Amino acid sequence: MKALPQISEAEFEVMKIVWKHAPISTNDITDRLVKTTAWSPKTIQTLIKRLVTKGVLTYEKQSRVFVYTPLVKEAEYIGQESNSFLKRFYNGNITSMLSAYIDNNKLSETEIASLRALLSKNPPKGEP
């Protein structure tokens, strides 16, 4: 799998809106983000343009409106970022990461129970 472009935290906020509501117009993206951020419409438009330049978004002009669609799937991007985080901070060892979270009380009992349920559905290879 080829590496996806790096996007900033601000660009990621734009992408979350696009992933959830695509196809979506510039005005709709702006309307949603001005409610949850302190960004101006011009800032939002700049972020959208950067995402198009990076090849993460594409657009189509419909009458006088630009409508955006993601070129990168949300799960694919989050998977890449998760792998990058894991490699950078835990040498690629997810067991070390989970141990650190558990040892530092970063996971609630509910989260631990959810992880147990996930693991019981997917036993390690070579085990029943």
Side-chain angles (χ1 to χ4, degrees):
M1 170 172 91
K2 79 172 193 174
L4 302 173
Q6 290 294 310
I7 62 174
S8 69
E9 288 295 318
E11 292 165 343
F12 185 68
E13 290 303 312
V14 174
M15 287 305 298
K16 288 193 298 189
I17 299 293
V18 175
W19 281 319
K20 186 172 183 179
H21 302 285
I24 185 170
S25 71
T26 308
N27 290 340
D28 289 340
I29 295 169
T30 302
D31 290 346
R32 290 175 188 280
L33 285 170
V34 295
K35 292 176 186 172
T36 59
T37 67
W39 301 336
S40 71
K42 183 139 180 80
T43 298
I44 295 166
Q45 290 175 0
T46 298
L47 292 168
I48 293 169
K49 286 177 188 170
R50 285 185 193 162
L51 290 164
V52 169
T53 301
K54 290 180 178 186
V56 180
L57 285 180
T58 188
Y59 66 90
E60 177 180 291
K61 192 169 183 185
Q62 297 177 358
S63 308
R64 297 163 50 128
V65 177
F66 289 93
V67 177
Y68 295 88
T69 306
L71 291 173
V72 173
K73 291 183 173 113
E74 182 177 17
E76 186 180 7
Y77 184 76
I78 291 172
Q80 173 182 282
E81 290 301 300
S82 297
N83 287 337
S84 175
F85 174 83
L86 192 59
K87 286 177 186 168
R88 181 173 178 197
F89 294 102
Y90 298 97
N91 294 321
N93 187 325
I94 195 162
T95 302
S96 295
M97 183 187 81
L98 288 172
S99 292
Y101 274 78
I102 292 167
D103 292 344
N104 293 307
N105 296 317
K106 299 290 184 191
L107 294 177
S108 69
E109 289 300 321
T110 304
E111 291 168 322
I112 292 170
S114 294
L115 286 170
R116 281 190 179 115
L118 280 172
L119 292 170
S120 69
K121 289 182 196 174
N122 298 303
K125 290 181 175 36
E127 291 185 24

